[in-house]
Amino acid sequence: STNISMDFMLKMLLVILTVAACIVVPVGCVQFRRRRRYSRDVKMLDPTLENDDIELQMHNEGTEASHCPNRGSAHPLGECKSQDPRLAVLMSAVARGRDRMPVQSENPKVSHLVDQGLVREDLHFRTDNGPQGRVPMTIIHNSSTKGRFPVIIVLHATGQAKESVLDKMIIQAKRGYMTVAIDCRYHGLRSLPDGLAGYQSALVQAWRVGPERPFLLDNVWDLIHLLDYLETRDDVDPTRLGVTGISLGGMHSWLLGALDTRVAVAAPMIGVQDFGWAVEHDRWHARVASIQPVFDAAAQDLGKNAVDAEVVHLVWEKIMPGLLSDYDAPHSLPLLAPRPLLIVNGENDPRCWVEGLSGALVEAKRAYAATDKAHHLRVHIEPGVGHEPPPRMFQAVWDFMD
């Protein structure tokens, strides 16, 4: 009888200690992962959450969902990996084993007046030792303004160059911003002699050989170094760094904001999409057509007569490792919380399907709500517009940046 009582008491004590241990778990980052069973047909602008659709990955309940508070002004790579596995995957895919380059401009600045007291600076900085590691940059600001500028980084679309956004840069520089643009890899001053064909060939090489990742990730690597450079300038306010971009540039600005908390506000245009949704729902054709040669090469290498969903899936996983499982829109948009984020897309965009964005917005809204900053997440869908940025889109971005 005494032995039975002692056994019972020991079991009860073990239960009490277990409960107590659960109660005192330290507060930290909350991580949510959307199960693939969720309905992606939820109305985009009014998503509802079902309790059994959300799986809590940690018991911790902090104030910033899916956001690591330990990432600060220091370079983000290599930090906070234990707190958020998705962030670690994105960091690794962007870095691809490279060490961060020291902050320096490679050639002297050349400044000249462009309009109404504005100064244009053209310079380069280096992000790796390869031929594409030399990054051309243009900066425009008001020469008479003293103190530190807020910054807007403006990123160009596929087949364009930083000169294509020069008019937008000038407009915002007149309004008091420092505006910055770079040429993406294999674009502009980084183009090969055969122009856009050289970019397409580089994507085929990335599929077949590697190690380059010139579609998105290598450009995000360059942009992280751009933030490093901007932080060294005594005329830049490092707490007010904003980024926007068009199409390819929209994707860059979305992923940069997810990875690097030095981005204070992000407003990607016609770039945010759910790649996985497009593959699952056979809506990948328009996105694939923008870089068709790499998919044709992959289909050939895989012994297929035409590109299909399997080919698309395999190409994304090769040139952007971990995208579909870890940093596609449903996984990475929550990482921007609680910082202001404006998603600007066209209603009829076949590359960034509005209905395909609903699942990602469910995740993002949940993350922002958990930070008590739900109003920092905004979505602007331009009626009747496809994959193009009309002036109303740009105005929405500038108003949001203000």
Side-chain angles (χ1 to χ4, degrees):
S1 174
T2 302
N3 290 338
I4 293 174
S5 298
M6 288 295 294
D7 289 343
F8 177 79
M9 291 175 64
L10 287 172
K11 289 178 180 178
M12 288 298 296
L13 180 60
L14 180 61
V15 169
I16 292 170
L17 290 174
T18 302
V19 172
C22 293
I23 292 173
V24 299
V25 170
V27 172
C29 301
V30 177
Q31 298 174 11
F32 299 97
R33 180 168 60 194
R34 171 64 59 181
R35 296 173 181 169
R36 299 309 292 176
R37 61 192 278 285
Y38 65 71
S39 171
R40 294 178 179 268
D41 296 322
V42 179
K43 289 184 179 180
M44 188 198 66
L45 297 180
D46 186 25
T48 58
L49 290 171
E50 297 296 333
N51 290 334
D52 61 349
D53 279 344
I54 297 292
E55 180 181 2
L56 282 173
Q57 291 301 102
M58 297 175 66
H59 294 293
N60 304 355
E61 294 195 355
T63 59
E64 296 184 11
S66 301
H67 173 71
C68 176
N70 294 331
R71 287 182 294 147
S73 60
H75 194 274
L77 300 185
E79 298 180 11
C80 199
K81 292 185 178 181
S82 61
Q83 289 91 333
D84 200 316
R86 298 165 302 174
L87 185 63
V89 172
L90 178 54
M91 288 176 178
S92 177
V94 167
R96 59 178 176 87
R98 290 172 290 187
D99 291 327
R100 170 185 168 199
M101 298 288 284
V103 178
Q104 59 183 2
S105 57
E106 196 173 85
N107 64 324
K109 294 185 290 188
V110 178
S111 303
H112 56 276
L113 195 67
V114 291
D115 187 26
Q116 296 183 15
L118 301 182
V119 170
R120 170 172 174 161
E121 304 176 16
D122 292 290
L123 59 156
H124 294 76
F125 61 95
R126 182 160 285 279
T127 63
D128 63 45
N129 292 318
Q132 286 291 316
R134 188 169 181 263
V135 185
M137 170 173 56
T138 294
I139 297 174
I140 298 177
H141 60 86
N142 193 310
S143 59
S144 62
T145 300
K146 306 300 181 184
R148 294 180 177 268
F149 289 95
V151 174
I152 300 179
I153 301 167
V154 188
L155 303 171
H156 66 76
T158 299
Q160 302 295 320
K162 57 186 175 65
E163 301 301 319
S164 68
V165 297
L166 187 62
D167 59 332
K168 309 298 188 299
M169 296 172 65
I170 290 174
I171 290 171
Q172 295 310 304
K174 288 179 180 179
R175 299 182 63 242
Y177 289 96
M178 175 184 286
T179 53
V180 183
I182 68 168
D183 283 331
C184 294
R185 295 197 175 213
Y186 297 95
H187 287 73
L189 296 176
R190 305 167 87 179
S191 295
L192 299 181
D194 52 353
L196 188 59
Y199 171 57
Q200 302 285 10
S201 296
L203 293 175
V204 173
Q205 284 296 103
W207 155 258
R208 287 179 169 165
V209 181
E212 288 186 274
R213 293 167 185 166
F215 178 47
L216 298 183
L217 302 179
D218 283 348
N219 292 295
V220 174
W221 175 256
D222 295 341
L223 290 166
I224 289 169
H225 286 75
L226 171 59
L227 297 182
D228 289 346
Y229 167 75
L230 291 174
E231 283 191 315
T232 68
R233 292 181 61 121
D234 58 12
D235 57 355
V236 166
D237 183 346
T239 68
R240 300 174 68 191
L241 303 177
V243 61
T244 186
I246 307 160
S247 189
L248 180 68
M251 290 183 274
H252 293 156
S253 55
W254 147 34
L255 291 177
L256 176 66
L259 181 58
D260 198 320
T261 54
R262 291 175 297 180
V263 173
V265 54
M269 289 183 279
I270 58 173
V272 176
Q273 63 208 271
D274 188 335
F275 290 86
W277 181 93
V279 172
E280 291 174 10
H281 291 79
D282 203 35
R283 304 285 188 89
W284 43 265
H285 302 79
R287 169 54 61 202
V288 164
S290 67
I291 49 172
Q292 189 71 47
V294 64
F295 293 94
D296 291 341
Q300 179 183 0
D301 294 346
L302 294 168
K304 292 178 176 283
N305 294 325
V307 176
D308 58 18
E310 181 186 17
V311 171
V312 176
H313 179 102
L314 291 173
V315 169
W316 291 146
E317 282 301 301
K318 179 62 183 292
I319 69 174
M320 296 186 290
L323 166 71
L324 300 179
S325 59
D326 290 283
Y327 55 92
D328 205 349
H331 312 297
S332 58
L333 289 180
L335 296 173
L336 282 105
R339 291 164 290 148
L341 168 65
L342 172 67
I343 299 169
V344 184
N345 280 9
E347 180 185 23
N348 302 322
D349 189 344
R351 297 185 188 178
C352 304
W353 290 94
V354 168
E355 60 185 295
L357 197 56
S358 62
L361 286 178
V362 168
E363 298 293 346
K365 288 192 173 187
R366 180 65 180 265
Y368 275 86
T371 67
D372 293 325
K373 297 292 185 181
H375 60 287
H376 281 185
L377 174 63
R378 299 278 299 279
V379 179
H380 177 95
I381 303 299
E382 191 66 35
V385 171
H387 195 72
E388 56 185 285
R392 291 186 301 273
M393 278 191 178
F394 283 100
Q395 191 58 53
V397 169
W398 308 142
D399 291 344
F400 188 73
M401 290 285 182
D402 289 343

